[in-house]
Amino acid sequence: MLRERMSLKQSPLPLRHQFGGRSRRPSQRDLERAAPVVYVFPRAMTTSSPTRRSVPITYTVPELLRDLTWVVSRVPALGSIWIGERVPRALRERIIVAVARVNGCPMCEHAHVRMALDAGVSETELAALEGPEAQSTDSKTWLAIAYATERTRARFGPIHELGEHEALEHALGPQTLRDVEDIAHVMTVANGIANTLNALPARRRGQPVPGSRQLDEWLINLVFLPGAWLGT
C-alpha cells in the first residue's frame, strides 16, 4: 500500500502520534521530543491519480461568470506565480498537466506537455503524473501535485479535513499551498473554457458532451473562440 510505503519513508506530514497507548495530535514540543512519528496521509492523496475524466468538464454561462470573477480577484497572486516565478516553472507545468488530465482537457494537456518539456521536465517525470507516488519524485513535489489534483476533483469546495490541511501547510508552507491551489483553479477555468469550445463542434458531429448545453456552447464560443484562434 502507498500509505505504508510513505510511512516508512518518513513523509513530512506528522498527523498522529502514539502517546501512552492513545492517538492524538502532537504539540510542537511532542514532535521535538518523541519518536517515532506515524504519518497518516489523506485517503484521496494515497489512492488517486490524475487519470483523464471520461466526460470533460464544461461550463454554463453563470458558472463561467462566477469563476471569471474569482480569476479577477486573484490577478495579483497569479501575477506573482507566473510573472514573478513564485512557483518554479517546471513545477507549475507539472501541476497544470496533471490538472488538465483530471478535467479531461487533451488540448490543454498537449500544449502544456510541450511547455513542461521546454521547462526542463523529463519525459519520465511527466509519465509519473499518470499515478504520482513518492518513489517517482521528491516528497514536496508529490504533495503539491497530489493536493492540486485532489482540490480539482473537489471543484475547490470547502475543506473539511482541517487537520490534514494544516499538515500540508506544515509540509509545503501556507503560501506555496495557496499558490498550488490557485494554479489548479485557474487552469480548471481554462480547461472548462477549452472543453466548452470543443463541445460545440462535437455536437455538430453527433457526439454531444454529456451535461453540456447547446446555448452555453454557442455563447461561450462567440466570446472566446476568436481569442483561441489568436492564441494558436
Side-chain angles (χ1 to χ4, degrees):
M1 294 290 292
L2 178 57
R3 183 184 298 269
E4 294 169 351
R5 291 198 298 268
M6 290 300 295
S7 296
L8 291 173
K9 290 192 69 171
Q10 297 292 288
S11 144
L13 285 182
L15 289 182
R16 294 288 186 270
H17 199 294
Q18 298 295 326
F19 294 100
R22 69 185 188 280
S23 179
R24 64 175 172 82
R25 185 170 303 282
S27 66
Q28 185 60 41
R29 185 177 181 185
D30 290 332
L31 292 176
E32 292 171 354
R33 296 180 58 188
V37 175
V38 177
Y39 295 104
V40 180
F41 275 73
R43 178 198 57 78
M45 286 190 177
T46 64
T47 60
S48 61
S49 63
T51 51
R52 296 165 184 80
R53 288 173 57 101
S54 57
V55 178
I57 65 163
T58 56
Y59 269 122
T60 64
V61 170
E63 288 170 344
L64 180 55
L65 290 175
R66 177 202 64 203
D67 283 1
L68 289 176
T69 300
W70 173 86
V71 171
V72 170
S73 74
R74 299 298 296 166
V75 164
L78 297 173
S80 296
I81 293 168
W82 262 267
I83 300 172
E85 294 283 342
R86 192 159 67 195
V87 176
R89 185 185 173 200
L91 174 57
R92 197 169 67 231
E93 292 299 333
R94 290 168 75 177
I95 291 169
I96 290 170
V97 171
V99 167
R101 289 177 178 172
V102 171
N103 289 327
C105 186
M107 182 170 69
C108 297
E109 179 186 346
H110 179 70
H112 284 279
V113 162
R114 291 184 316 210
M115 294 181 189
L117 291 170
D118 289 343
V121 179
S122 70
E123 292 185 2
T124 300
E125 290 170 326
L126 287 173
L129 293 177
E130 291 289 351
E133 296 186 356
Q135 294 90 336
S136 63
T137 187
D138 68 273
S139 60
K140 288 190 176 182
T141 297
W142 180 83
L143 284 172
I145 295 169
Y147 179 70
T149 56
E150 181 60 22
R151 293 297 292 140
T152 300
R153 285 191 181 89
R155 297 306 297 266
F156 308 97
I159 296 172
H160 300 293
E161 297 294 336
L162 296 180
E164 293 173 352
H165 190 76
E166 290 170 1
L168 284 165
E169 285 187 339
H170 175 80
L172 298 176
Q175 185 64 65
T176 297
L177 200 65
R178 183 58 196 261
D179 287 348
V180 167
E181 179 158 347
D182 280 347
I183 293 167
H185 202 160
V186 77
M187 290 316 302
T188 292
V189 176
N191 297 159
I193 292 171
N195 286 342
T196 309
L197 293 178
N198 290 329
L200 185 58
R203 183 181 297 278
R204 296 178 66 182
R205 294 192 302 269
Q207 299 173 321
V209 175
S212 185
R213 304 190 310 192
Q214 187 171 5
L215 179 59
D216 295 306
E217 293 167 8
W218 275 107
L219 291 173
I220 290 171
N221 267 268
L222 285 172
V223 173
F224 288 96
L225 191 57
W229 283 338
L230 291 173
T232 57

